[in-house]
């Protein structure tokens, strides 16, 4: 389980290897915050933040306001060490989300477009939520690999014309047209780190562009706020590596550099001491390697795939961004691994990833190409026969009637 969130330490079973050799300039982590009681949890603790509009709004405002410690509810349930662990990660989740929003506001994003009309305020909303109509601009390009166009839910939309950012948190079907619930922000203030409502809302249709999605962020927050439900063994591994039991059988292949291909040996020679320590330390069924952005996690993953994964095994690699998966695919390809399949939208993925989309892989497969040629030839033959049938003269109706008479005696009838 490889995380892209920042952490100043690398943790592997049986050994603690510092990431200072990977990123010497990274600051030390703050001292764990004390676990103090906060607001009571929701009535249904299993409900997702994505399913409760008001909770999603409050959580988003908390993330934008940098007060992530208040998201954890601690009433003697989770251990203090787990709450402190969650506090640190919530802070990093908030920083990443704010950076994404700020970067989008600075660069004027070019993504999915929509038009938004403000209908009026939501009754009894403590955050000044509004009802909207949203019409997403249809994508005319054909992209068989792409998932269906995303809904407007839990997206931040920027109207550059009116200087307003809409966060859509809820949805309500209506016979006269579906309505969406949203809270609004002043775009210029948000660019400077202040989440405040705009002075005025658009009175006409506002053309908007996708600024950011909060779905993944809210799911991470929900998971961290539910940290008290963790299996005790996993909780102990997260907070006290020494307490984690050693794996009875390691799923990883032993590292034998002499038996590796020259291209793989070259890949391993590029690892720094911190990356090599993580590679050698892979032992348990679940291993967490943490490193700040730009510290070589993709290179480490490539080395692990090529040298520690048993032959014949399958690998599933997931990342939070298309850029990260494209970097990993490019490194694996350069190391000689070409049996890959990427899943995603062609219009959003990088050049290396697009080479391994299903359509690209099938286009290079000789058997599939031969089958497609045979199908096309068969279809052409069917079209030719149908055209010839249409050219045949229509039989005379009287002749058909005569020929359809009773047969008898000496075999009369046509």
């Amino acid at each position: 389980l490889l995380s892209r969130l920042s952490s100043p330490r690398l943790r592997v079973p049986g050994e603690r290897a510092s990431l200072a050799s990977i990123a010497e300039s990274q600051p030390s982590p703050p001292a764990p915050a004390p676990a103090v009681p906060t607001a009571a949890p929701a009535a249904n603790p299993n409900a997702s933040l994505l399913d409760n509009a008001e909770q999603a709004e409050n959580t988003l405002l908390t993330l934008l306001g940098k007060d992530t410690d208040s998201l954890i509810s601690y009433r003697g349930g989770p251990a203090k060490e787990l709450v402190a662990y969650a506090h640190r990660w919530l802070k990093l989740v908030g920083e990443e989300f704010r950076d994404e929003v700020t970067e989008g506001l600075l660069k004027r994003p070019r993504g999915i477009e929509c038009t938004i009309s403000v209908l009026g305020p939501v009754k009894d909303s403590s955050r000044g939520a509004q009802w909207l109509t949203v019409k997403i601009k249809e994508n005319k390009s054909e992209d068989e690999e792409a998932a269906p166009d995303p809904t407007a839910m839990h997206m931040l939309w920027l109207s550059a014309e009116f200087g307003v950012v809409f966060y859509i948190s809820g949805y309500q079907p209506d016979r006269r047209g579906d309505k969406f619930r949203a809270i609004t922000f002043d775009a210029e203030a948000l660019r400077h780190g202040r989440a405040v409502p705009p002075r005025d809302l658009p009175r006409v249709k506002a053309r908007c562009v996708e600024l950011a999605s909060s779905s993944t962020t809210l799911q991470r927050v929900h998971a961290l706020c539910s940290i008290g439900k963790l299996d005790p063994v996993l909780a102990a591994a997260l907070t006290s590596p020494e307490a984690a039991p050693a794996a009875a059988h390691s799923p990883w292949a032993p590292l034998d550099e002499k038996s590796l291909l020259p291209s793989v040996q070259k890949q391993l020679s590029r690892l720094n001491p911190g990356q090599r320590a993580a590679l050698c330390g892979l032992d348990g069924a679940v291993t967490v390697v943490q490193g700040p952005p730009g510290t070589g996690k993709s290179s480490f993953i490539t080395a692990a795939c090529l040298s520690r994964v048993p032959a014949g095994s399958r690998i599933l690699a997931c990342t939070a961004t298309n850029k990260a998966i494209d970097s990993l695919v490019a490194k694996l390809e350069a190391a000689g691994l070409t049996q890959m399949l990427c899943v995603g939208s062609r219009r959003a993925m990088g050049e290396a990833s697009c080479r391994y989309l299903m359509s690209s892989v099938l286009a290079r497969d000789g058997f599939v190409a031969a089958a497609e040629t045979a199908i096309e030839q068969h279809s052409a033959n069917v079209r030719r026969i149908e055209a010839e049938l249409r050219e045949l003269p229509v039989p005379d109706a009287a002749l058909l009637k005569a020929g359809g008479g009773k047969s008898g005696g000496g075999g009369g009838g046509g």
Side-chain angles (χ1 to χ4, degrees):
L1 195 155
L2 295 125
S3 173
R4 54 191 294 273
L5 294 175
S6 307
S7 175
R9 300 291 294 175
L10 168 67
R11 190 172 292 172
V12 294
E15 179 181 5
R16 286 188 178 183
S18 172
L19 278 182
S21 54
I22 302 180
E24 297 179 357
S25 61
Q26 292 298 318
S28 299
V36 295
T38 58
N44 181 6
N46 295 318
S48 170
L49 285 173
L50 301 179
D51 300 327
N52 187 310
E54 191 167 353
Q55 279 191 348
E57 293 166 1
N58 292 336
T59 302
L60 189 90
L61 286 164
T62 302
L63 291 170
L64 293 174
K66 306 180 183 180
D67 184 24
T68 53
D69 282 359
S70 64
L71 293 170
I72 291 284
S73 295
Y74 175 61
R75 291 180 175 271
K80 291 183 178 180
E81 294 80 5
L82 278 179
V83 176
Y85 177 89
H87 278 167
R88 292 195 294 272
W89 282 94
L90 283 169
K91 180 180 180 181
L92 295 168
V93 169
E95 290 175 354
E96 184 181 62
F97 180 66
R98 290 192 297 274
D99 289 345
E100 180 183 0
V101 173
T102 302
E103 183 179 1
L105 289 169
L106 290 173
K107 292 185 176 181
R108 290 296 177 92
R110 295 181 180 179
I112 303 168
E113 297 179 0
C114 73
T115 55
I116 290 178
S117 299
V118 179
L119 301 178
V122 175
K123 186 179 180 181
D124 299 329
S125 169
S126 61
R127 299 293 185 181
Q130 301 284 327
W131 288 117
L132 315 172
T133 60
V134 181
K135 183 173 179 58
I136 297 179
K137 183 178 179 180
E138 294 182 2
N139 177 33
K140 299 299 183 182
S141 62
E142 294 184 0
D143 189 353
E144 295 180 356
E145 288 90 0
D149 284 339
T151 64
M153 288 294 295
H154 299 291
M155 302 279 282
L156 276 76
W157 300 90
L158 169 65
S159 170
E161 179 184 1
F162 295 98
V164 176
V165 173
F166 298 88
Y167 165 61
I168 298 181
S169 58
Y171 164 80
Q172 179 175 304
D174 191 281
R175 290 183 302 173
R176 293 168 295 181
D178 297 338
K179 298 192 299 184
F180 292 87
R181 170 176 172 148
I183 55 175
T184 55
F185 303 97
D186 183 278
E188 183 63 20
L190 193 59
R191 187 168 69 89
H192 291 90
R194 293 183 295 112
V196 298
R199 293 182 178 179
D200 298 300
L201 292 174
R203 298 180 180 275
V204 295
K205 288 184 178 180
R207 295 179 58 186
C208 301
V209 64
E210 173 194 2
L211 178 62
S213 172
S214 67
S215 295
T216 300
T217 299
L218 293 176
Q219 288 168 350
R220 288 175 174 174
V221 169
H222 179 73
L224 287 165
C225 291
S226 305
I227 199 167
K229 301 178 183 179
L230 277 181
D231 179 272
V233 176
L234 182 55
L238 289 175
T239 56
S240 178
E242 292 81 3
H249 174 70
S250 174
W252 300 93
L255 182 59
D256 184 7
E257 297 190 38
K258 294 182 180 180
S259 64
L260 299 175
L261 295 173
S263 59
V264 179
Q265 294 179 1
K266 184 177 180 180
Q267 185 76 23
L268 297 186
S269 67
R270 297 171 181 169
L271 300 180
N272 61 34
Q275 293 168 318
R276 182 170 285 274
L279 184 67
C280 296
L282 293 174
D283 184 41
V286 176
T287 301
V288 180
V289 179
Q290 300 171 353
T295 54
K297 292 189 295 297
S298 295
S299 298
F300 163 75
I301 298 172
T302 302
C305 291
L306 297 173
S307 65
R308 296 298 312 273
V309 174
S313 300
R314 291 184 177 183
I315 303 166
L316 173 64
C318 305
T319 68
T321 64
N322 288 303
K323 183 178 180 181
I325 202 69
D326 197 63
S327 172
L328 178 58
V329 169
K331 286 182 170 63
L332 290 170
E333 185 181 46
L337 183 60
T338 58
Q339 293 186 1
M340 294 182 283
L341 182 66
C342 292
V343 179
S345 168
R346 181 180 292 274
R347 64 176 179 267
M349 300 180 77
E351 181 179 352
S353 302
C354 285
R355 288 196 291 271
Y356 294 94
L357 287 168
M358 178 65 79
S359 59
S360 302
V361 172
L362 293 178
R364 295 192 297 268
D365 189 287
F367 179 81
V368 174
E372 289 182 342
T373 300
I375 291 173
E376 180 58 35
Q377 290 175 350
H378 174 74
S379 300
N381 289 335
V382 170
R383 291 192 295 270
R384 177 180 55 80
I385 293 171
E386 289 176 342
E388 291 177 356
L389 289 173
R390 288 193 294 270
E391 294 296 325
L392 292 176
V394 178
D396 184 74
L399 181 61
L400 285 174
K401 185 175 181 181
K406 295 181 180 180
S407 60

